[in-house]
Amino acid sequence: MSSSTGLDERVAEVVKAAGLVRPGNRFFAAAKAVDQVAAAEVLAVARQWEVMTKAFMFTTISGLGVAARHFASQKAPDREVLAAFQTAYRVIGDDLDNLAEDFSTVAPLGAAGIHYLWWADSIVKPLTEVVGEEAAGDFPKGVAKLLEAMEVMADHRLGAAVQLRVVEAIALDIAVAFRRIYGKVLVDGQKLFAAPDALTWIDAHIKAETSHAKSVSDEETGMTAMVESEADAEEFVLLATDYAAHWAGALDDFADQVSAG
């Protein structure tokens, strides 16, 4: 019996227990309840998300490097594990180079299409132009702790797989929440992001994240198939439990900032 058998269901329960699913998540509820938003109220969240998406992409790529060095040391890496590695490579590749059609047809060309830069240019910049440059303060505790957790994952052989499995489980709901929030940013009574392509970053993610979530949770080629032993499986659950808790803390910070506005 594969050491990954039933593991994905365990991870799904971890995500649920962390409070990262609707209807119980505070941030998703706050985003749904918002009526109108002032630019100054959500600029901090937009900046934090830029840093979070940057860290997620690069630490996940770094984690794949750790796994790759592990495979290089083996005479014959398991093909099922390598198939899961391919899945991880493709999914995080979208953040860097928009491999999926949902992204490639709408993303800016070149480095501007890297997801955290695309977000910075299309969401953070317009908000900053309205609000003005402000001295960057410290990150809220939950966001800061999540960034630290990502750095830990960057050095772990299973880190990339854990990050992708947890994040893709909640990415669609996060994108929908952002659509609700940034679609209602008002400046002098007018929507800031009123142009048809103003929220393309968010809309593209809403379209793509369903397939991403399905691919990383696949029992045969998803992220839990990266485990090579029962010990790996238990380690995967422990890592996912800690990582999901940090995501819950970061989204609680988002909820507090949105609610305070």
Side-chain angles (χ1 to χ4, degrees):
M1 180 181 292
S2 170
S3 56
S4 66
T5 301
L7 179 56
D8 193 81
E9 287 83 355
R10 293 176 65 188
V11 176
E13 286 300 316
V14 164
V15 172
K16 182 178 180 180
L20 291 173
V21 298
R22 294 179 291 114
N25 183 268
R26 290 179 55 235
F27 174 57
F28 302 152
K32 187 175 182 179
V34 82
D35 183 34
Q36 60 184 40
V37 184
E41 295 170 356
V42 290
L43 174 56
V45 170
R47 286 174 170 162
Q48 290 158 28
W49 185 248
E50 176 189 348
V51 174
M52 289 162 64
T53 52
K54 173 177 177 283
F56 169 70
M57 184 187 75
F58 284 122
T59 58
T60 298
I61 292 172
S62 296
L64 287 181
V66 176
R69 289 195 298 274
H70 171 69
F71 298 144
S73 71
Q74 296 177 316
K75 182 177 180 180
D78 185 280
R79 293 195 180 197
E80 292 183 2
V81 176
L82 290 178
F85 185 84
Q86 285 181 316
T87 299
Y89 186 89
R90 284 193 298 269
V91 172
I92 198 58
D94 274 335
D95 284 28
L96 182 66
D97 202 27
N98 298 299
L99 304 177
E101 185 177 358
D102 287 329
F103 294 125
S104 64
T105 55
V106 295
L109 297 177
I114 297 174
H115 285 199
Y116 79 90
L117 293 176
W118 181 9
W119 173 268
D121 292 343
S122 64
I123 303 296
V124 179
K125 183 179 178 181
L127 289 167
T128 303
E129 289 174 347
V130 170
V131 176
E133 289 287 353
E134 298 177 344
D138 293 335
F139 289 123
K141 182 179 179 181
V143 172
K145 291 293 186 182
L146 174 60
L147 293 172
E148 292 175 4
M150 289 179 179
E151 289 297 329
V152 172
M153 292 293 184
D155 294 325
H156 198 289
R157 178 169 59 84
L158 297 173
V162 170
Q163 288 209 82
L164 286 167
R165 179 61 182 87
V166 172
V167 170
E168 294 305 333
I170 61 177
L172 175 59
D173 284 334
I174 292 174
V176 170
F178 281 151
R179 191 64 169 80
R180 287 168 168 160
I181 293 168
Y182 292 102
K184 296 177 182 177
V185 174
L186 299 183
V187 177
D188 297 328
Q190 302 296 316
K191 288 186 176 181
L192 177 62
F193 298 105
D197 62 346
L199 297 175
T200 298
W201 190 102
I202 298 173
D203 293 338
H205 280 74
I206 290 174
K207 291 178 180 179
E209 295 306 346
T210 299
S211 61
H212 276 183
K214 183 177 180 180
S215 65
V216 300
S217 62
D218 186 272
E219 284 281 4
E220 295 184 358
T221 59
M223 296 304 90
T224 55
M226 289 275 281
V227 305
E228 297 177 317
S229 65
E230 293 296 341
D232 272 0
E234 295 307 312
E235 181 76 359
F236 197 105
V237 172
L238 289 174
L239 290 169
T241 300
D242 183 69
Y243 188 62
H246 287 302
W247 265 100
L251 293 189
D252 273 346
D253 284 344
F254 282 5
D256 290 340
Q257 292 170 91
V258 171
S259 299

